[in-house]
Every structure is written in C-alpha cells, then in structure tokens.
C-alpha cells in the first residue's frame, strides 16, 4: 500500500545533540513537507521540497535542516541550535494536479 | 500572507446532534483550496473534506459538509449526527497559491462528543 512512513514514532534526545527524523514515501509524490505541532498551536511549516535536491524554508526553519537526495525521502535534522525542540513532527506529501495531501503518523520528540 | 482563524478552542456536543466548527480565512488570491482534517489522540491527520474556491456547490462527504461562504471568507465544517468517535482535534487549512502547494493551518478546535 502507498503511504508515508515516519520513524521513529517516539524519540528522546539529550540537550546539545542533533537528531534526524525519517520520512519516506512510496506515492511518487513530488512535494514533501515537514510540520511541527505544539499544543494549542496547530501545525507550522518547517521546510518543504518540491523537487529533488531543492528545498525551501518554511515559517520556523531556524534550528532545523533537511535534505532531498531522493524523491522518496525527506529527512529532518533537529540541531542543537533549536531552542525548544520538544514537539510532535508531521511529514506530508502531495503532487501537482492532486488536491489531497498524505500525512505520516508523526514522530514525537522529547528533549530530556 | 494567507491566514486561517479558528475561534473555538473547544466545543461540546451531545451524541446524535449536529455541530458546526468555525473557520475563517484571509487571502488575496482568487484561486485557493480549503481543507478540514481530523486529528484523534493518536496524532494522525485524517482528511475529511475539500472545497475549491471556484466550486459552486458546498462540499459534502457523508456526515461532513462544508458551509462555504466566499464573500464572508468562511468555511465552516458541519458534522451531522455526532458520534463518540468524532471526539478529536479538527483543523481547517488552506492551500497557499504560488506553486508551493503549502498548507496553512488554523490552531484547531477540540471537539468532545458527550454520550
């Protein structure tokens, strides 16, 4: 079945460490997105990519980095520069001509 | 910049009754798309309904309907015959124009269905 796989589901990080969240899709979608969700805040866009080897900053890109070396993969690295990384992270994808978006099941990151 | 406003942080409804969740949006683009998503406590985002800005009819999907009032820039979600399983967070979102296909989300409404 086609879909988006995010891993891990839960992630714990010590302060000062970088961590990478995985997002893989087998939908042949061109565009992929990373959102952050905090309680009462809704979803905010971190980074997005519309094509391999290209990506753009979203509204809250500081302290995060991404890569898009393959169409299927869009990993997000939460760096030590991110002041408050504890949140729920969602990956999504879509493609031109479709109005729908597919979301992954999310990764809950906790800094300990 | 495009913006979505959901003014109801929480809503309560009795089982089997209808409920309306409010959403207003702001955009200067004549072409846009509006979405509603449901997010249960598990965290997954479940697509409910879509309305295109040029659609003449209000969208409907089973028990969900979208009350689209273009002049007022509102896109309220109506859930008929509420069920206990409808208890969740509900998000209104708009697809941003300009080719990025970005979704801009409101802050959400937490719906609780009481037996």
């Amino acid at each position: 079945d086609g879909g988006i796989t995010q891993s891990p589901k839960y992630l714990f990080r010590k302060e000062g460490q970088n961590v990478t969240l995985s997002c893989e899709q087998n939908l042949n979608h061109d565009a992929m997105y990373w959102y952050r969700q905090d309680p009462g805040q809704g979803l905010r866009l971190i980074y997005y990519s519309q094509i391999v080897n290209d990506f753009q900053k979203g509204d809250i890109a500081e302290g995060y980095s991404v890569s898009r070396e393959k169409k299927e993969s869009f990993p997000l690295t939460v760096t030590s520069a991110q002041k408050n990384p504890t949140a729920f992270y969602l990956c999504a994808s879509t493609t031109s001509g479709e109005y729908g978006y597919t979301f992954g099941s999310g990764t809950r990151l906790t800094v300990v | 910049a495009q913006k979505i406003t959901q003014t109801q942080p929480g809503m309560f409804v009795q089982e089997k009754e209808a409920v309306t969740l409010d959403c207003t949006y702001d955009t200067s683009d004549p072409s846009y798309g509006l979405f509603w998503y449901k997010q249960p406590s598990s965290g997954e985002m479940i697509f409910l309904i879509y309305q295109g800005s040029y659609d003449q009819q209000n969208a409907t999907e089973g028990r969900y309907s979208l009350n689209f009032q273009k002049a007022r820039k509102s896109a309220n979600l109506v859930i008929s015959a509420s069920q206990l399983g409808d208890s969740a967070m509900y998000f209104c979102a708009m697809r941003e124009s300009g080719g990025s296909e970005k979704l801009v989300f409101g802050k959400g409404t937490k719906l609780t269905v009481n037996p």
Side-chain angles (χ1 to χ4, degrees), chain B residues 85-107:
Chain B
D86 293 335
S87 293
M89 284 291 294
Y90 289 80
F91 292 96
C92 181
M94 178 165 57
R95 179 177 56 220
E96 194 168 282
S97 60
S100 70
E101 311 290 339
K102 291 187 288 184
L103 274 181
V104 178
F105 285 85
K107 293 190 175 184

Side-chain angles (χ1 to χ4, degrees), chain B residues 74-88:
Chain B
S74 75
N76 298 339
L77 176 71
V78 181
I79 304 174
S80 63
S82 297
Q83 302 172 358
L84 295 178
D86 293 335
S87 293

Side-chain angles (χ1 to χ4, degrees), chain B residues 5-16:
Chain B
T5 302
Q6 294 181 255
T7 57
Q8 305 156 315
M11 288 283 287
F12 294 87
V13 64
Q14 288 298 121
E15 194 177 6
K16 299 180 185 178

Side-chain angles (χ1 to χ4, degrees), chain A residues 33 35 37 45 50 99 101, chain B residues 35 39 99-103:
Chain A
Y33 308 83
Y35 288 91
Q37 185 177 20
L45 184 64
Q50 294 178 275
Y99 68 76
Y101 296 76
Chain B
F35 300 76
Q39 187 182 45
S100 70
E101 311 290 339
K102 291 187 288 184
L103 274 181

